[in-house]
């Protein structure tokens, strides 16, 4: 071992709050812990990587203790992603490493959409008990980068080479390796010292019986609205109240029946119990980075790159316009006016657009969203300071208090009843029909990673969409 590595090894990870991290390291026996990452097993025609994870949670338990599985959402702007760009990871305490690996690879091979073009499954095994803290940090950095940046298979291979780990790629390119490795790093994201990366939520996912895959889902909408009413805001994004729509069930041919997201496991379970639907084949709770804003990078407008997601502070430099199709666009500039970017609230963001339309040149805001084609696709905004516009108004009569009328062009103002006169107009601050604070898209348009305002600390002024 190099001296430098020894020194690094003695440094303790600054953040040990991640419960999975604790689980992996605070075990009181000498049982080896294996981290298993899996990604890119699905296609637009079916399957879901979480489904394979649940099959494994059940079958791996005969070889050891299996912890709560991880569902980790990665950079949502990646062009080749399937749907939500989610990878999964499992933690298994086991002495039967060989058997576990065989079972994992066999289960992935049997269930992945291997024939689909663009599906390139990857599986990674990390021997957690052999990880030194410098290796944990390396893995954590890779994992954080997979949420915020664009990585290559070579990046994954380089990181893998420095870890006590093996990988299996099922097709030549093995793009799934990126997500698989990233998901095993979820346990160590606390090392990055970034609050948004440390945050976590839960999702309880219910799966359909195989013979129903690809058919319309049979879910009683009223029971879903009831479940929401009973458990919101400890659960969220189950329904979209403004659109009167159930949003916890996908419309793809995948095995998922519905998923309940939230911060509180008891509330999630309660919501699950209330929902009436076709028979559930199996259900599994995942710990996730959904609803955490983990993908957002605080940056200057001049540093913006495509395929990244940002928090950009600036000044509105062009009033909003509405284009054909109902999309709303405005420009945001740096405070020194050297760089600008177009910001968009697209039609599916619904009521959010009416807030965005009220912005005016000079307003100071923070824009949250993903950049493609050098346009920021808004997920939320924080109105920091509204520009005050002074307008001229007819003055009020000193005697009766009524608004005076014009006495003619450049002739001042008068009150006919009291015979009073004023030479100049009254200057007044224009009333703005928008408040400071946070605003967000309607729940049905929300990205998996985007943090609902209802999750923000209560001291922050928010205007949640429901
Ligand atoms: Zn008067």
């Amino acid at each position: 071992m190099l001296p430098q590595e020894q020194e690094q090894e003695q440094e303790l990870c600054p953040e040990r709050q991640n419960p999975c991290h604790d689980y992996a390291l605070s075990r009181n026996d000498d049982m080896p812990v294996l981290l298993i990452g899996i990604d890119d097993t699905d296609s637009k025609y079916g399957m879901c990587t979480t489904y394979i994870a649940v099959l494994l949670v059940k079958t791996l338990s005969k070889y050891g203790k299996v912890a709560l599985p991880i569902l980790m959402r990665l950079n949502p702007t990646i062009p080749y992603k399937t749907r939500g760009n989610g990878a999964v990871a499992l933690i298994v305490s086991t002495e039967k490493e060989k058997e576990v690996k065989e079972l994992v690879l066999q289960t992935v091979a049997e269930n992945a959409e291997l024939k689909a073009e663009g599906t390139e499954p990857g599986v990674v095994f990390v021997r957690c008990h052999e990880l030194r803290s410098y290796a944990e940090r390396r893995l954590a950095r890779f994992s954080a980068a997979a949420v915020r940046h664009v990585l290559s298979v070579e990046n994954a291979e380089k990181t893998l080479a420095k870890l006590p780990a093996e990988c299996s790629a099922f097709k030549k390119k093995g793009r799934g390796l990126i997500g698989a490795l990233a998901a095993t790093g979820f346990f160590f994201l606390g090392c990055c010292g970034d609050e948004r990366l440390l945050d976590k939520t839960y999702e309880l996912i219910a799966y359909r019986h195989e013979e129903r895959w690809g058919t319309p889902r049979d879910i009683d909408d009223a029971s879903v609205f009831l479940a929401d009413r009973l458990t919101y805001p400890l659960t969220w994004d189950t329904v979209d109240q403004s659109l009167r729509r159930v949003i916890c069930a996908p419309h793809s041919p995948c095995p998922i029946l519905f998923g309940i997201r939230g911060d509180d496991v008891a509330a999630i379970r309660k919501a699950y119990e209330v929902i009436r639907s076709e028979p559930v084949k199996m259900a599994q709770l995942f710990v996730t980075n959904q609803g955490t804003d983990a993908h957002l990078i605080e940056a200057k407008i001049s540093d913006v790159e495509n395929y990244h997601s940002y928090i950009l502070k600036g000044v509105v430099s062009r009033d909003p316009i509405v284009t054909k199709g109902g999309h709303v666009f405005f420009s945001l500039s740096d405070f020194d006016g050297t760089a600008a970017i177009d910001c968009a609230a697209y039609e599916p963001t619904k009521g959010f657009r009416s807030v965005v339309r009220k912005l005016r040149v000079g307003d100071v805001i923070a824009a949250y969203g993903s950049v493609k084609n050098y346009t920021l696709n808004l997920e939320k905004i924080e109105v920091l300071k509204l520009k005050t516009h002074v307008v001229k108004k007819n003055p009020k009569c000193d005697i009766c208090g009524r608004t005076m009328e014009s006495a003619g062009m450049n002739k001042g103002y008068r009150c006919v009843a009291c015979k009073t006169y004023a030479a100049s107009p009254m200057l007044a601050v224009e009333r703005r029909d928008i408040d400071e604070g946070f605003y967000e898209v309607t729940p049905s348009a929300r990205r998996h990673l985007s943090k609902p305002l209802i999750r923000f600390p209560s001291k922050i002024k928010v205007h949640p969409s429901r």
Side-chain angles (χ1 to χ4, degrees), residues 55-120:
L55 293 179
L56 285 168
V57 166
K58 307 231 179 294
T59 52
L60 287 177
S61 58
K62 67 180 175 225
Y63 294 120
K65 198 171 145 200
V66 185
L68 203 59
I70 309 308
L71 166 56
M72 186 168 172
R73 300 288 179 178
L74 308 173
N75 185 343
T77 66
I78 298 285
Y80 47 75
K81 60 160 181 168
T82 46
R83 296 193 295 269
N85 202 11
V88 300
L90 302 166
I91 325 166
V92 190
S93 315
T94 182
E95 275 169 340
K96 300 215 156 63
E97 188 182 316
K98 188 167 161 279
E99 289 88 341
V100 166
K101 285 178 173 173
E102 276 171 12
L103 182 59
V104 170
L105 295 178
Q106 187 194 336
T107 306
V108 172
E110 281 170 9
N111 291 278
E113 291 272 295
L114 287 169
K115 285 189 197 123
E117 196 190 331
T119 300
E120 297 170 357

Side-chain angles (χ1 to χ4, degrees), residues 46 49 84 134 141 143 220 222 284 313 329 344 415 422:
T49 305
Y134 69 88
R141 279 198 301 273
S143 194
D220 176 47
Q284 175 68 50
K313 272 188 192 170
F329 291 86
C415 174

Side-chain angles (χ1 to χ4, degrees), residues 299-301 304 310-314 332 341 365-368 371 376:
K300 293 198 297 189
I301 295 172
V304 161
Y310 294 101
I311 301 172
L312 301 173
K313 272 188 192 170
L332 187 70
I341 187 164
I365 68 162
Y368 291 58
V371 175
L376 187 84

Side-chain angles (χ1 to χ4, degrees), residues 196-418:
R196 287 197 300 279
L197 288 171
L198 192 62
D199 194 8
K200 65 172 190 331
T201 65
Y202 299 93
E203 179 167 1
L204 179 62
I205 304 180
Y207 297 89
R208 317 182 72 192
H209 286 279
E210 211 164 331
E211 61 270 19
R212 289 180 184 257
W213 295 0
T215 65
R217 287 164 175 79
D218 183 10
I219 299 172
D220 176 47
D221 283 6
S223 70
V224 181
F225 276 91
L226 177 63
D228 172 78
R229 201 159 65 237
L230 293 173
T231 59
Y232 180 88
L234 294 175
T235 66
W236 28 264
D237 289 358
T238 309
V239 299
D240 187 317
Q241 292 278 7
S242 65
L243 304 177
R244 299 299 299 163
R245 193 185 290 165
V246 168
I247 57 171
C248 63
H251 295 281
S252 60
C254 78
I256 292 179
L257 181 59
F258 61 82
I260 305 296
R261 295 172 183 197
D263 285 273
D264 182 275
V265 174
I268 290 171
R269 291 200 190 283
K270 183 175 178 184
Y272 174 77
E273 294 303 327
V274 170
I275 294 174
R276 291 192 303 273
S277 70
E278 66 183 53
V280 170
K281 183 188 176 189
M282 54 190 186
Q284 175 68 50
L285 186 70
F286 288 83
V287 60
T288 86
N289 61 349
Q290 291 171 163
T292 64
D293 277 348
H295 59 315
L296 300 175
I297 304 166
E298 284 170 62
K300 293 198 297 189
I301 295 172
S302 52
D303 295 336
V304 161
E305 291 175 77
N306 279 327
Y307 306 120
H308 291 71
S309 305
Y310 294 101
I311 301 172
L312 301 173
K313 272 188 192 170
V315 185
V316 175
S317 54
R318 197 189 67 191
D319 279 343
I321 53 161
V322 184
T323 65
K324 209 176 151 196
H327 315 302
V328 180
F329 291 86
F330 66 91
S331 296
L332 187 70
S333 294
D334 268 343
F335 292 101
D336 59 7
T338 52
I341 187 164
D342 282 337
C343 298
Y346 291 105
E347 191 279 332
T349 65
K350 301 294 178 189
F352 178 63
R353 293 171 301 161
S354 63
V355 174
V356 171
R357 279 173 63 180
K358 290 172 187 163
L359 294 173
R360 289 292 172 265
V361 167
D363 290 343
V364 178
I365 68 162
Y368 291 58
S370 299
V371 175
K372 277 185 184 177
N373 301 319
Y374 290 101
T375 301
L376 187 84
N377 180 357
L378 289 168
E379 295 168 11
K380 60 174 81 78
I381 57 168
E382 182 183 12
V383 178
L384 292 161
K385 196 168 189 333
L386 291 165
K387 167 104 176 170
T388 47
H389 294 270
V390 174
V391 288
K392 289 177 184 175
K393 279 184 167 175
N394 290 12
K396 295 231 168 23
C397 170
D398 284 339
I399 297 172
C400 71
R402 280 187 293 225
T403 302
M404 298 167 92
E405 62 184 45
S406 173
M409 183 84 85
N410 299 323
K411 284 183 181 159
Y413 304 85
R414 67 181 176 200
C415 174
V416 179
C418 311

